[in-house]
Amino acid sequence: MLEIKNLHVKLEEEDKQILNGVNLTVEAGKVHAIMGPNGSGKSTLSYVLSGRDGYEVTEGSATLEGEDLLAMEVEERAAAGMFLAFQYPVEIPGVGNMTFLRTAVNAQRKARGQEEMSATEFLKVVREKAKTLKIDADMLKRPVNVGFSGGEKKRNEILQMAMLEPKMCILDETDSGLDVDAMKLVSDGVNALRDEGRGFLVITHYQRLLDHIKPDVVHIMANGRIIKTGGPELALEVEHNGYADILAETA
Amino acid sequence: MALPKLKADATEARLATLELPIGGWTDTARREALARVQAMGLPARRDEYWKYTRPDTLVAPETPEAQVYEMDEQLLFDEVDRLCLVFVDGVFDAEASDEIAGEGLEITRLAEVAGADIHWAQGLYGTLEAAGQVPVPRTLAALNTAFATDGVLIRVTGKVEKPILLRYFHRATTSDAMLHHVIKLEPGAQMTLLENGPAAARFNKVMEVEVANGATFHHVRAQGRDHQRRAATHIFARLGAESVFKSFTSTANGVLTRNEVVVEFTGDDAVAHVAGACVGDGDFLHDDTVFITHDAVGCESRQVFKKVLRNGATGVFQGKILVKAGAQKTDGYQLSQSLLLDDDSQFYAKPELEIYADDVACSHGSTSGAIDETGLFYLRSRGVPEGLATDLLTLAFLAEAVQEIEDERLQECINTRLSEWLERRRG
């Protein structure tokens, strides 16, 4: 599904290398988790894959189902099936949540040569999906993320994911700012989307999210590189011992 | 004090092209207005109040040409159940207009009432305009009072359900139109006035509105799309106790537009909202000049002006809140913002507060900025193409002003027009 080879990335504005040769393959149907200390490059990886400005790829490649992701515009990546659940979802005053969702769904459909969803059909689907995420009519009507609590913002991200049905989902510290109940709700939403045709990359600092969203593979990232890969037990090891041992062992 | 020679000459040159319509109850008001014009002189480039907007073409004896814009869309407000009066280049078109009659409503045309004695209008015509000449002269409005050839006089005594629409067409390339409307809402009365269209190559319009105690006046205007048209408009409103006055204007295109709104609170606990959303592309200058005087207790005034500017378009905002001594518990708010879509566009803002009472809340904010890159990335990351995402954010920027329109159907009409305007430029 997602294949990253020897990816080197630096900041555009300053001469600072962030990623130093990331190699990672996420297969369809699998959940991969990336853990790592602050500043290891986890969020940068998610931004580069989704196409955010300010980064320069100096070497390497990233493909989604064989298509060159890095050559695509941001919206083309989305239409190709890439989805990033933001660590800090953006507030957009003046744009209604529902309008936003419908515009996004139909723009992607149009880009893929599919017919647009009718207003009634859309309403039916969105209400159904919103209900399982405990997103009420008021949240759908309000401007995108404006006045939402941390938990509401994250649930709104998962609602977008559910509506857009991407092939490859990247969750950037989705657990940050969530209480136990909200974490459960968000995780349930993600788990409901687990599917043979869909890959997940879950970026997190804490093992507790992985109790809810059980990963198939866990990677440890440090200094812009993946330094260790293992099964779910690797996350538990980090939880108990921190990163020091792993860093020492690979240094 | 004598006027500077240049100003006096320019004023006389303009007056020489006009003929005072004499022979009716407005005679006195017109003669007095003419005297005001001669005493104050027409605006000139050096005037402080015209620092950002050059008045030359608005006062020139000859009307600058303005090509007629071929409309390619359905007329605005057609989907709304309303009563419509049509003016073509400032001349009333009876055939295209509805027969207007309604409960609690009296309408007459200024041009028709020369001989008649319309008592209620006699006390108003030119009165609010004259009062609005202090402390800043608004000579184009006085010129209008003196020379206006037509307009509507509306007296509202009850709650009028259907909005009244004044629709203006511009058909001649050098038409120079002056219309003067007088509206009086008696205590407790309610009405909605709509205006739409480019009116003329050069349009000078004055609207005097008296909103009596407990009355409500809603006004929604969309100025026409003709690129080369020019307009100088004035609204003078006098508000009684517990009355409501809400005026919204959207402007798309027009080489020069100066909209002045002058509001005076004379009764306690009244509300006045003045808002505007304008979109300009290229050879476009739009000037909102607002002056709100609080001379009563507990009144609320709100100004919300948003401008979207691209390809060198210019926006101007001059807004003032004057709180007189004794106007306690005043709640005054003023917001003027521009969204500059490129480096060539410009926005000049002059917010002013002048307060002589000590128990008031007044605030103002003025910003100019570009499209929010973070929001743009967020929308694009969900698959919304850049052009569409930019339009969504642009409409979102304008929304705060558009939402000042109370009626959601009318909001929808305006929103549709604004989004179509953006869509045509998306390429």
Side-chain angles (χ1 to χ4, degrees), chain A residues 73 75 84 93 108 157 160, chain B residues 378-380 382-383 386 396:
Chain A
E73 293 290 339
E75 52 268 36
L84 170 66
Q108 291 205 11
E157 292 291 287
Q160 291 165 35
Chain B
Y378 191 64
L379 289 171
R380 292 178 69 200
R382 297 303 180 244
E386 189 172 4

Side-chain angles (χ1 to χ4, degrees), chain A residues 137-207:
Chain A
D138 182 52
M139 263 177 79
L140 287 173
K141 256 179 94 174
R142 268 148 61 185
V144 181
N145 292 327
V146 176
F148 286 27
S149 70
E152 286 174 333
K153 282 183 183 170
K154 296 298 168 79
R155 264 146 59 200
N156 202 31
E157 292 291 287
I158 306 306
L159 175 64
Q160 291 165 35
M161 194 192 279
M163 288 305 297
L164 295 169
E165 301 182 324
K167 291 177 187 157
M168 181 67 220
C169 308
I170 303 177
L171 281 71
D172 187 10
E173 298 196 22
T174 294
D175 51 341
S176 68
L178 292 188
D179 61 30
V180 184
D181 294 336
M183 177 126 61
K184 172 101 178 46
L185 215 66
V186 164
S187 305
D188 288 350
V190 172
N191 288 329
L193 287 166
R194 287 181 76 156
D195 177 286
E196 280 179 8
R198 188 169 289 137
F200 284 89
L201 188 59
V202 180
I203 297 171
T204 182
H205 273 292
Y206 303 105
Q207 199 272 333

Side-chain angles (χ1 to χ4, degrees), chain B residues 96-389:
Chain B
S97 301
D98 293 330
E99 191 66 53
I100 293 199
E103 204 129 312
L105 192 64
E106 293 167 28
I107 297 195
T108 357
R109 279 175 45 224
L110 180 62
E112 269 182 347
V113 296
D117 176 24
I118 300 188
H119 187 71
W120 69 266
Q122 208 159 353
L124 266 183
Y125 187 88
T127 306
L128 300 189
E129 173 263 300
Q133 299 294 350
V134 181
V136 196
R138 304 170 202 281
T139 317
L140 284 167
L143 186 78
N144 179 297
T145 299
F147 296 99
T149 50
D150 209 343
V152 292
L153 312 173
I154 305 177
R155 179 165 175 249
V156 189
T157 52
K159 292 185 172 142
V160 179
E161 294 294 331
K162 284 187 193 178
I164 292 168
L165 168 62
L166 304 179
R167 185 171 268 164
Y168 309 116
F169 291 100
H170 163 215
R171 299 251 166 84
T173 50
T174 55
S175 53
D176 190 19
M178 276 196 224
L179 295 179
H180 193 118
H181 308 311
V182 177
I183 296 160
K184 183 168 190 180
L185 290 102
E186 299 291 355
Q190 287 182 9
M191 84 162 292
T192 298
L193 181 76
L194 309 175
E195 290 184 281
N196 173 228
R202 181 167 69 181
F203 189 36
N204 178 333
K205 191 196 69 180
V206 167
M207 187 162 89
E208 294 177 286
V209 190
E210 165 115 76
V211 189
N213 296 353
T216 298
F217 178 69
H218 285 170
H219 175 229
V220 178
R221 148 170 83 163
Q223 289 172 309
R225 277 173 52 195
D226 292 33
H227 290 275
Q228 297 170 0
R229 61 154 188 82
R230 290 173 162 78
T233 78
H234 290 80
I235 298 173
F236 296 94
R238 187 162 66 191
L239 309 188
E242 292 173 35
S243 66
V244 174
F245 170 90
K246 289 190 178 177
S247 174
F248 169 89
T249 301
S250 82
T251 310
N253 307 343
V255 70
L256 177 58
T257 309
R258 162 98 161 198
N259 292 333
E260 297 194 23
V261 180
V262 182
V263 176
E264 189 181 10
F265 288 105
T266 58
D268 298 344
D269 302 312
V271 171
H273 289 194
V274 189
C278 88
V279 288
D281 183 356
D283 194 1
F284 171 92
L285 187 144
H286 183 92
D287 176 336
D288 285 301
T289 291
V290 182
F291 199 110
I292 295 183
T293 305
H294 285 262
D295 197 9
V297 174
C299 295
E300 170 195 314
S301 72
R302 190 176 157 84
Q303 303 169 44
V304 180
F305 287 89
K306 301 264 189 164
K307 295 177 169 63
V308 173
L309 305 165
R310 50 180 280 166
N311 290 326
T314 302
V316 176
F317 174 81
Q318 303 189 99
K320 177 154 182 170
I321 305 173
L322 169 62
V323 181
K324 292 197 170 174
Q328 303 295 6
K329 307 285 178 201
T330 285
D331 180 0
Y333 176 78
Q334 184 192 79
L335 180 74
S336 69
Q337 297 182 316
S338 74
L339 177 63
L340 306 175
L341 292 177
D342 51 53
D343 293 343
D344 301 330
S345 301
Q346 299 175 62
F347 178 54
Y348 301 94
K350 191 170 83 177
E352 287 179 284
L353 301 178
E354 193 176 331
I355 302 170
Y356 297 100
D358 53 11
D359 183 16
V360 302
C362 280
S363 61
H364 71 87
S366 184
T367 62
S368 46
I371 283 277
D372 171 27
E373 289 296 331
T374 323
L376 189 63
F377 173 68
Y378 191 64
L379 289 171
R380 292 178 69 200
S381 79
R382 297 303 180 244
V384 183
E386 189 172 4
L388 181 55

